[in-house]
Amino acid sequence: MKFDEIGQQIFEQELTQALHCLSWQVSRTWNCVTPDLQANTISLGLTANQYFNQPNLDQVTLITKKGQSLTDVINDMQIQQDALLTKLTTKQLLWPLGSGVTQAKNSTQIRVAWPEKLAEELFEAKFKKAGLTYLDFRNQLYLKVAQQLIAHQWFVEYLFGANPYDFARGQKEGKVAPKRNSCAILDEQQLAQLDQIDYHTIKGYLKTTHNLSCQDWVKLGCTQLTETKQEGILYLEIQTANYDDQQRLGIGKDYLKLMEVMIGYFLMIPGCDNGDLKQILSQKRMQAQEIVAQSPYAKNQATQTSLHLLEELNRFATQFAYFDWQAVYTKLKKRINDPQETPAAKLLRQPSSILEFGKQQALKWQKDISATTQKLDTNSQKLLQAAILNGITYQILLAQAGVLQIGKRVIVKGIQTEKNSAPYQQLLQYKQQANRLAQKAGFYTLQSWEINNMQQAHELYSKIKKRAVVVKSALANAQQQAHVFRLGPTKEQFIAAVSRIHKQGSPVLVEQVVSGSTYRALIADKKVVSIVERIPANVVGDGRSTLEQLLAKKQYVLDEIETETLKNQGIRLDEVIPRGIQVLLRYDASSNTKAQYLEVLDEINQSYLTKIVELAESLHLNDGGIDVILPNLYQPYDLAHPELLVFLSAHTEIDYSIHENVMLLDSQDIATKLLQAWKV
């Protein structure tokens, strides 16, 4: 490899690490189609923002955050796509190939820049002495690399061409000869326009690109700098319609890695001859046009030239230790040596038609979720997706612990914020401690007893044997199911219920049962954003089916507690349940007992919401969940009757699904409601 003066300075000044610190932003546009491959014109109901827009009803665009590393931008592409897929219905598919099946084609814009510090240090070390201004020098670096990229478009198309047919232009599979990249074929008028672009200087570039009807493969991202009133190049923008049908991101990781290596390589080697620049680029465009119009199976003179260039890039990438390069190099070398391994050729070799293959890939990816998003807990996934779709800045701080930054707020597991007191979060895990805090603040709580060993259970039985009680874990976020006795339990029943929970290592709480319905309030920034009635698992009779048949329709398998509950009600499995009659399968209602939930935020008397917020404040719970019992949600709260609101427990960790999947409503977007409450 022969370096020019810039390359030598980068090498001698030990600035090669900067080549690994390029900043990236990727914008991807998909054709949105129905399963029968018609244009889908169903609006997603989202407002355009910095990450998302719909250029047309049958197109969707995702835009990553600016200035990210290559690894981070790939992760960002994955989580943005996960967010988008949550908004698509079964009738909306992201078409995975570059050639759209309607009048729109898929395209990706890749914006890339090198660290400003690299240009500054090069300028100060050597090129300042040549009489250039820093801005002119910086612009020349971008122009040099842009020229080389345009001159080597043919190489990229040879390796990544992935559109045998241009379906959007009406081409039919098998009716015309397949090409390497039908979407990149230009007519004479378009080529003539591109050949007029001046890549010598930024002024020449701006003058000759004004009012063009087509775009070159590489664009210069220019802006007028406020301080100098001069035009400066901020980034290069590479455009491609070569979507990788094997990767749901659209643009493949291999493509981005090759771009990273090529940009570093072209920055350090001599540039194109400026004396004959227009003619050189014109010839190279014609070479690219020959490549894209070739049969995907073609092996010709470009094969050896491609292999030589790939080996040069490999020596460069190996010398400067480009991470994850070798796997990409091996794959690309295989494509050059065997044309059947090129993307377009592999598409043509699919057992089904390309359109059918594209449809099946779209259906497959509709159900996928990326590894990046999988590392997060479910609540954090939903909160992150809501931030993206609402255009709110976001960052994953620690995926394994569910720590996100949304706007300026740090949020843990979708609910805990920095405004929650850490000591009180620990305290609220213990229901008896939470009860004492609530009592101290004047709230009504249930009479309760904590059991830490089985001897205490035997001793307690004499006190509760004639009472309706519930036996549950004494820990707020425990997963063990509660056991409700509406009639005083026998000693055998009571000891068995206590033992079931005690064996799982949890202290046991026994509470006296009172009349009323149980509710879960979701608190965000001291506001109730949702409150749901918790309805125990049940079936409703139709006058024809036995209880066993009703259970089978709901795919409900009875456990020990449910079998006992039915026995206590005197209901048999072979009994026909009258029409409209509800049969409770158990008396407790939690997320692990197949309970149902009914949103009552718009129905409940406002006085209860006020008291629940006061209750949360007394517990030092800024964000979380509170369980209460209300005898009548419509009757106003009366200070003279504190038993109208009974505190049960507080939760520093919550499950969004309890508030999302409610009866009589479509799924509620709780994540967005939380973001609105937090004003991020």
Side-chain angles (χ1 to χ4, degrees):
M1 285 176 291
K2 180 182 178 182
F3 299 145
D4 65 1
E5 282 189 291
I6 292 170
Q8 280 299 128
Q9 282 298 306
I10 291 174
F11 184 74
E12 291 171 7
Q13 297 293 322
E14 298 182 346
L15 298 175
T16 54
Q17 187 57 37
L19 303 179
H20 301 265
C21 299
L22 303 182
S23 62
W24 302 79
Q25 183 183 33
V26 179
S27 170
R28 297 165 294 158
T29 298
W30 283 275
N31 201 195
C32 195
V33 299
T34 61
D36 59 355
L37 303 186
Q38 299 300 309
N40 190 300
T41 55
I42 302 173
S43 172
L44 297 179
L46 297 171
T47 303
N49 60 57
Q50 59 183 318
Y51 308 125
F52 165 88
N53 66 66
Q54 276 191 274
N56 301 295
L57 282 178
D58 63 344
Q59 286 184 303
V60 178
T61 298
L62 289 177
I63 308 157
T64 66
K65 293 181 289 186
K66 296 178 181 178
Q68 300 188 89
S69 70
L70 187 55
T71 297
D72 286 345
V73 84
I74 290 171
N75 287 339
D76 204 25
M77 289 160 67
Q78 291 173 331
I79 61 177
Q80 285 192 347
Q81 195 156 350
D82 290 340
L84 175 60
L85 290 175
T86 65
K87 299 298 293 185
L88 299 183
T89 69
T90 54
K91 295 182 179 180
Q92 295 169 309
L93 301 177
L94 298 183
W95 181 244
L97 308 181
S99 175
V101 293
T102 64
Q103 293 306 305
K105 72 175 181 180
N106 291 342
S107 65
T108 290
Q109 288 77 43
I110 303 163
R111 291 184 175 182
V112 59
W114 39 80
E116 195 68 28
K117 197 71 175 173
L118 173 62
E120 290 173 354
E121 293 198 19
L122 286 172
F123 181 70
E124 291 295 331
K126 184 169 179 89
F127 299 97
K128 187 176 183 179
K129 301 170 187 174
L132 289 171
T133 67
Y134 172 68
L135 185 59
D136 286 338
F137 171 70
R138 184 169 165 274
N139 288 342
Q140 285 302 316
L141 289 181
Y142 278 105
L143 285 163
K144 172 191 175 185
V145 175
Q147 294 163 11
Q148 286 279 35
L149 285 173
I150 293 167
H152 291 85
Q153 181 186 1
W154 65 269
F155 174 68
V156 178
E157 293 289 359
Y158 189 82
L159 290 170
F160 290 95
N163 296 296
Y165 304 102
D166 191 343
F167 298 116
R169 290 184 182 177
Q171 292 184 2
K172 303 292 184 183
E173 187 173 352
K175 299 296 183 181
V176 296
K179 308 289 193 295
R180 194 180 300 275
N181 185 5
S182 294
C183 295
I185 295 176
L186 304 175
D187 59 35
E188 290 183 5
Q189 184 179 359
Q190 290 171 319
L191 279 171
Q193 285 190 45
L194 297 182
D195 287 344
Q196 294 307 308
I197 300 176
D198 183 358
Y199 284 95
H200 287 93
T201 66
I202 187 171
K203 287 184 178 178
Y205 175 81
L206 291 171
K207 183 178 179 180
T208 53
T209 52
H210 187 61
N211 290 331
L212 285 183
S213 62
C214 60
Q215 293 183 355
D216 216 341
W217 180 58
V218 177
K219 283 176 57 181
L220 303 177
C222 306
T223 189
Q224 189 177 75
L225 303 180
T226 307
E227 321 87 68
T228 61
K229 302 297 182 184
Q230 290 180 283
E231 297 291 344
I233 303 173
L234 300 181
Y235 55 82
L236 301 176
E237 182 175 291
I238 302 162
Q239 180 168 285
T240 180
N242 286 319
Y243 275 42
D244 189 335
D245 60 85
Q246 297 301 312
Q247 297 189 39
R248 73 182 191 122
L249 295 181
I251 188 69
K253 299 174 187 177
D254 298 340
Y255 190 99
L256 294 171
K257 177 56 71 172
L258 179 64
M259 289 298 104
E260 181 187 36
V261 172
M262 288 178 71
I263 288 169
Y265 177 71
F266 291 145
L267 189 58
M268 292 186 68
I269 68 168
C272 297
D273 183 351
N274 271 342
D276 296 320
L277 183 61
K278 277 194 175 182
Q279 183 178 352
I280 290 171
L281 295 184
S282 178
Q283 291 172 349
K284 292 295 184 180
R285 285 192 190 94
M286 285 302 300
Q287 185 179 5
Q289 286 298 295
E290 291 171 4
I291 294 294
V292 299
Q294 283 178 348
S295 163
Y297 301 109
K299 194 170 185 179
N300 49 37
Q301 185 178 355
T303 303
Q304 288 304 313
T305 313
S306 297
L307 194 57
H308 174 75
L309 176 55
L310 183 63
E311 294 300 339
E312 278 286 295
L313 291 170
N314 183 48
R315 281 190 286 273
F316 174 81
T318 302
Q319 180 176 347
F320 297 114
Y322 275 80
F323 185 67
D324 281 344
W325 163 254
Q326 279 305 310
V328 176
Y329 163 70
T330 301
K331 186 182 294 185
L332 298 184
K333 187 173 182 180
K334 187 176 181 181
R335 288 182 186 178
I336 294 174
N337 288 328
D338 183 0
Q340 293 200 58
E341 292 298 318
T342 59
K346 290 178 79 171
L347 264 179
L348 291 167
R349 289 163 52 211
Q350 293 295 329
S352 61
S353 70
I354 293 177
L355 289 176
E356 180 61 26
F357 171 75
K359 172 184 170 180
Q360 294 305 319
Q361 288 294 79
L363 289 168
K364 171 187 171 184
W365 292 337
Q366 194 95 325
K367 302 172 185 176
D368 280 355
I369 185 169
S370 71
T372 304
T373 303
Q374 283 176 343
K375 292 177 183 176
L376 293 167
D377 59 276
T378 303
N379 285 353
S380 296
Q381 289 179 24
K382 292 175 180 177
L383 198 66
L384 181 64
Q385 290 160 0
I388 292 168
L389 296 175
N390 286 282
I392 302 169
T393 58
Y394 60 90
Q395 186 176 356
I396 300 175
L397 299 180
L398 187 60
Q400 294 85 340
V403 185
L404 307 177
Q405 182 171 347
I406 307 293
K408 294 182 179 179
R409 178 160 287 189
V410 175
I411 302 165
V412 181
K413 294 186 178 178
I415 190 63
Q416 301 167 14
T417 71
E418 68 277 10
K419 292 188 177 182
N420 276 357
S421 164
Y424 277 96
Q425 287 204 128
Q426 292 295 318
L427 195 63
L428 294 178
Q429 299 300 314
Y430 299 90
K431 292 179 180 178
Q432 286 291 68
Q433 298 301 324
N435 279 343
R436 293 187 184 101
L437 289 174
Q439 289 168 2
K440 187 177 179 181
F443 288 93
Y444 196 90
T445 63
L446 298 173
Q447 186 176 7
S448 59
W449 303 267
E450 186 171 316
I451 296 173
N452 291 292
N453 56 61
M454 294 309 298
Q455 179 61 36
Q456 291 176 341
H458 285 278
E459 293 171 355
L460 179 61
Y461 178 71
S462 61
K463 291 183 181 180
I464 61 88
K465 62 182 180 181
K466 294 184 179 181
R467 305 187 189 194
V469 294
V470 57
V471 179
K472 62 173 72 171
S473 171
L475 302 178
N477 293 312
Q479 295 300 309
Q480 295 97 329
Q481 295 181 4
H483 196 144
V484 179
F485 297 98
R486 288 199 168 183
L487 300 174
T490 65
K491 188 170 184 178
E492 182 182 29
Q493 289 173 327
F494 179 70
I495 295 301
V498 172
S499 178
R500 187 183 300 112
I501 295 172
H502 182 65
K503 283 179 179 178
Q504 297 180 51
S506 170
V508 182
L509 190 66
V510 179
E511 290 178 333
Q512 187 164 344
V513 173
V514 298
S515 61
S517 298
T518 306
Y519 298 86
R520 165 71 62 83
L522 177 59
I523 313 292
D525 209 11
K526 299 180 181 179
K527 293 183 284 289
V528 179
V529 298
S530 170
I531 180 166
V532 293
E533 181 179 353
R534 293 162 46 179
I535 301 171
N538 65 89
V539 293
V540 177
D542 58 13
R544 300 186 305 274
S545 305
T546 64
L547 175 57
E548 187 172 26
Q549 291 169 332
L550 293 172
L551 292 171
K553 288 177 184 177
K554 296 183 74 170
Q555 297 182 322
Y556 203 110
V557 179
L558 298 177
D559 64 14
E560 183 180 342
I561 292 175
E562 289 146 358
T563 301
E564 185 178 317
T565 301
L566 291 172
K567 181 180 178 181
N568 291 339
Q569 296 177 82
I571 301 174
R572 303 186 316 275
L573 288 175
D574 60 357
E575 187 175 336
V576 174
I577 307 302
R579 182 177 178 82
I581 296 298
Q582 183 186 60
V583 176
L584 292 180
L585 304 177
R586 55 191 307 134
Y587 299 124
D588 61 316
S590 60
S591 58
N592 59 352
T593 62
K594 296 191 177 180
Q596 294 174 296
Y597 302 94
L598 179 67
E599 180 63 67
V600 297
L601 186 62
D602 295 333
E603 298 179 48
I604 191 170
N605 189 278
Q606 181 64 39
S607 61
Y608 290 109
L609 300 181
T610 302
K611 292 303 293 183
I612 288 171
V613 170
E614 290 178 15
L615 175 57
E617 289 177 341
S618 70
L619 299 173
H620 298 263
L621 186 70
N622 191 79
D623 311 280
I626 290 181
D627 291 338
V628 295
I629 296 175
L630 304 178
N632 187 337
L633 79 163
Y634 303 107
Q635 177 185 347
Y637 182 79
D638 185 347
L639 286 173
H641 295 280
E643 69 276 8
L644 292 177
L645 186 152
V646 182
F647 170 68
L648 279 178
S649 58
H651 303 271
T652 57
E653 296 181 13
I654 55 98
D655 180 357
Y656 284 9
S657 66
I658 289 176
H659 302 271
E660 290 172 331
N661 306 317
V662 294
M663 300 166 62
L664 307 180
L665 290 174
D666 292 332
S667 179
Q668 297 195 101
D669 188 354
I670 290 300
T672 295
K673 286 190 174 186
L674 289 170
L675 293 176
Q676 291 168 346
W678 287 322
K679 298 179 181 177
V680 295

